[in-house]
Amino acid sequence: PCEIRIHVRLHDKNNKDQMEALGIIGVNLIYAAFKYREDLKLFVDSLVDDLNSDRVEIDLLKFEEENFKFIDNRLCALQLVESGLTEATVFDTNGNVVQPMEFLYKKPILLLRGSFNPILKLHLDMIDQANRTFRPELEEDLYQDLVEVCEISTNNLLRDGLMDHADFIDRADAIQSVGKTVLISRSPEFYRLATYLSHCTNQ
């Protein structure tokens, strides 16, 4: 057997509408698993067929087990952002795709925006200096949970108007190799990113 893990945030106000939305996504997921497994963009886009995308947010999609080993789950996460099904996605320092709200929940976040093409010693020095500056403001137990994040907007991954997936993987690998968490967002403005993060934590 193979596994496809998906996390859906339901925005409808009542249970009946939420159940309907989840049922539609479930049917679409089964159909896509058989019909669209060779086309990741089509797979992701089809998950909200016959469903107003404002009703749901899909912030995690992972393919697991032997028959899906050819799929890089970071590309799945990027496609969710690119298709507008979620505002952002997160990879931990080991390159694992994680559910952003759960991973960042109530944790202090130190975030540096950039294209990181490539990541430089200057970037690391900026993060280290910010860490030293803000550490006195955090209680020790909170400081232990501090997450240092390098954030890339999808605008910085475009080449000739198209998403450069190979370049994205190279940048993610480089950031993770220096022990930083990667966040990919579709927020060109910082206030939108700050609003998104405020749903995860007030730190």
Side-chain angles (χ1 to χ4, degrees), residues 4-175:
I4 303 174
R5 296 180 184 267
I6 184 171
H7 185 271
V8 182
R9 294 170 57 83
L10 302 168
H11 298 315
D12 288 316
K13 299 299 183 184
N14 62 70
N15 289 344
K16 181 181 177 184
D17 290 341
Q18 290 179 358
M19 287 190 296
E20 178 191 56
L22 201 56
I24 291 172
I25 290 176
V27 171
N28 290 343
L29 176 62
I30 294 169
Y31 187 86
F34 284 98
K35 299 293 185 179
Y36 302 142
R37 57 188 298 169
E38 305 299 328
D39 188 329
L40 183 58
K41 183 179 188 312
L42 191 56
F43 188 109
V44 169
D45 290 343
S46 73
L47 293 176
V48 290
D49 281 353
D50 299 320
L51 187 65
N52 185 332
S53 59
D54 292 338
R55 296 176 61 187
V56 297
E57 176 186 352
I58 302 175
D59 59 7
L60 180 72
L61 176 66
K62 294 176 70 173
F63 293 81
E64 300 180 348
E65 309 302 340
E66 187 71 15
N67 285 349
F68 289 136
K69 66 180 181 179
F70 62 93
I71 296 177
D72 189 323
N73 282 313
R74 293 175 298 176
L75 289 177
C76 299
L78 176 64
Q79 189 60 58
L80 290 174
V81 178
E82 189 179 352
S83 295
L85 297 187
T86 188
E87 189 69 27
T89 190
V90 173
F91 318 129
D92 67 16
T93 54
N94 296 316
N96 299 314
V97 179
V98 293
Q99 201 268 321
M101 295 292 182
E102 180 180 350
F103 182 75
L104 300 174
Y105 184 65
K106 290 189 175 181
K107 292 180 180 177
I109 300 172
L110 185 62
L111 182 139
L112 179 65
R113 302 198 84 181
S115 59
F116 304 106
N117 188 27
I119 188 166
L120 305 172
K121 184 177 185 299
L122 172 64
H123 296 129
L124 301 180
D125 288 345
M126 291 171 68
I127 293 173
D128 288 343
Q129 182 59 45
N131 194 322
R132 287 194 296 271
T133 300
F134 288 105
R135 179 170 186 172
E137 298 184 19
L138 292 175
E139 298 175 9
E140 189 60 31
D141 57 338
L142 275 177
Y143 182 77
Q144 299 303 320
D145 291 332
L146 178 72
V147 182
E148 295 180 337
V149 178
C150 292
E151 184 266 348
I152 306 174
S153 167
T154 50
N155 289 345
N156 288 325
L157 294 172
L158 296 177
R159 179 172 295 176
D160 299 325
L162 298 174
M163 194 72 69
D164 189 333
H165 292 162
D167 181 50
F168 156 71
I169 292 296
D170 289 343
R171 293 193 217 184
D173 285 342
I175 294 169

